[in-house]
Amino acid sequence: RSRRIGDRVSVILASAEDAPAIRERVSDVLASSYPAQSIEVVVALDSANAKATASELSSLDERVRIVVGDAPGGKATALNAAVRAARHELLVFTDTAQRFEPDAIGVLVKELGDARLGAVSGMLELPGKDGSLNVAERYWRLERWLRAAEARLHSSVGVTGAIYAMPRELWEPLPAGLILDDLYLPMRLVLAGWRVGFTERARARDVRRFAPAQEYRRKVRTLTGILQVCAWLPAVMNPARNPIWFQFVFHKLLRLLTPYLAVLALLGVAGSVLRAILSGPFGVELLAALGGLALLIVLIPRVRRALATQVAWAVALQGSIVIATVNGLRSKWNVWQ
């Protein structure tokens, strides 16, 4: 089925960044190949945390509108203020740090011609550095593949906050304090009978690279946000209400078990090695091999650094799940610091 929609687009940018970063992002959006007369940008400054002021951004293009987010602050209330100020029938959401491919907005608008879709997500690219990918960047490639497969089946579980679109008529204000608008909003649409699409042809790029400690903080926030959605939108946990219940549980919730399964696996391996050393016919040889491996790690700096990096990533990714679980059990949703 197809729907008749207009072609005028309001690009929504909720930001707490400084004025130069916002100017660069707005310039990138306006450099789109989308018709200039059919696009506006609404920048909503986080009322509690913004580093920029409306006066600092007053010299931007006439197609740009600056508003201040609602109290008490945070991204969700900034988005509410921005959408309220938007004048056009299609909404495209983005963040400050990313950059659009020139045709990204046009692709999203075309996808929304499918009347089944309540929202459609584009694809965020994490290009890595010098052709190499860290653990988080490799995981993101798997995540993108999974979202595309889910959309072919029914709906993507979540959208990419840096690049997604929806008709304005389907927007409902977000609750203050919401952590993951890019999960809450699409799941609300799915519960209302809409589908959520995904397209690889609408692309945004993020050239930032996070260290393990930064990724740990980001993962604590996003994983806590998943539990918040379960608490604030409980119908997602009801298979009779949620048509993508299996996808939601397997994609979003079962990952919370991984650190505990990893510990059990490590204990199992350690127990097997210990039994082999104590009772196996090659116990002495195995012990000597393990000792040699440990000595190799200690003596070769490159090997030692590589192992330390992998351990840091493992602690960041798995430790964040434990902390997020504790946050969810305590209903601790203020996790931006």
Side-chain angles (χ1 to χ4, degrees):
R1 295 180 298 165
S2 62
R3 65 155 60 100
R4 294 180 61 85
I5 55 175
D7 62 352
R8 295 185 302 168
V9 173
S10 294
V11 178
I12 305 299
L13 173 62
S15 182
E17 299 300 325
D18 57 26
I22 294 174
R23 287 195 194 96
E24 288 183 18
R25 185 69 188 102
V26 169
S27 296
D28 175 75
V29 170
L30 295 179
S32 166
S33 60
Y34 203 73
Q37 71 276 12
S38 298
I39 188 172
E40 70 168 358
V41 181
V42 183
V43 178
L45 303 176
D46 186 330
S47 63
N49 305 295
K51 300 173 186 175
T53 64
S55 60
E56 289 180 288
L57 301 170
S58 60
S59 61
L60 287 171
D61 189 284
E62 62 181 7
R63 292 171 290 170
V64 180
R65 308 180 69 194
I66 310 297
V67 299
V68 176
D70 299 337
K75 184 179 180 182
T77 54
L79 288 173
N80 290 339
V83 174
R84 196 167 57 245
R87 293 177 290 194
H88 297 336
E89 59 266 38
L90 298 176
L91 305 176
V92 171
F93 296 86
T94 191
D95 292 330
T96 312
Q98 294 77 29
R99 300 292 181 264
F100 281 173
E101 291 296 315
D103 64 345
I105 295 174
V107 171
L108 292 173
V109 171
K110 185 176 180 180
E111 291 290 326
L112 284 178
D114 186 338
R116 300 171 300 173
L117 296 182
V120 61
S121 176
M123 185 176 78
L124 178 64
E125 291 187 318
L126 303 180
K129 184 178 181 181
D130 301 326
S132 65
L133 299 174
N134 61 33
V135 174
E137 291 158 353
R138 291 182 185 277
Y139 173 79
W140 180 244
R141 293 197 171 188
L142 173 63
E143 176 79 14
R144 290 185 334 200
W145 173 85
L146 186 58
R147 292 187 185 191
E150 290 169 342
R152 287 193 296 270
L153 181 63
H154 185 289
S155 292
S156 171
V157 181
V159 293
T160 302
I163 178 167
Y164 71 98
M166 65 180 294
R168 180 177 174 171
E169 65 183 3
L170 298 182
W171 170 267
E172 293 181 8
L174 301 172
L178 181 69
I179 300 170
L180 294 183
D181 62 282
D182 50 6
L183 179 61
Y184 182 94
L185 187 152
M187 290 310 303
R188 181 184 60 75
L189 290 172
V190 167
L191 292 173
W194 298 96
R195 297 178 70 163
V196 175
F198 178 90
T199 176
E200 296 181 351
R201 296 184 298 111
R203 300 190 177 201
R205 293 175 290 105
D206 192 334
V207 297
R208 297 174 299 172
R209 190 164 234 210
F210 297 111
Q214 294 171 304
E215 187 65 21
Y216 164 80
R217 290 190 290 271
R218 193 181 73 84
K219 284 293 186 183
V220 167
R221 183 170 66 249
T222 57
L223 293 169
T224 302
I226 292 171
L227 295 173
Q228 184 192 56
V229 168
C230 294
W232 288 13
L233 197 65
V236 299
M237 300 297 295
N238 183 351
R241 290 282 313 279
N242 184 358
I244 58 170
W245 181 83
F246 278 104
Q247 294 97 306
F248 183 84
V249 170
F250 280 84
H251 185 169
K252 294 298 184 182
L253 297 185
L254 290 187
R255 71 171 67 180
L256 300 177
L257 298 178
T258 55
Y260 314 107
L261 296 175
V263 169
L264 290 176
L266 287 174
L267 290 175
V269 170
S272 298
V273 171
L274 183 59
R275 285 194 299 271
I277 291 173
L278 296 177
S279 59
F282 303 104
V284 175
E285 291 85 349
L286 179 58
L287 185 60
L290 291 174
L293 178 61
L295 185 62
L296 186 69
I297 293 171
V298 170
L299 294 180
I300 302 179
R302 183 176 178 181
V303 175
R304 188 170 64 247
R305 287 194 298 269
L307 180 62
T309 298
Q310 297 307 314
V311 170
W313 276 110
V315 171
L317 296 178
Q318 302 307 320
S320 64
I321 295 175
V322 176
I323 299 302
T325 304
V326 173
N327 288 341
L329 293 173
R330 297 174 58 196
S331 297
K332 180 184 176 182
W333 309 129
N334 184 14
V335 291
W336 292 97
Q337 299 297 327

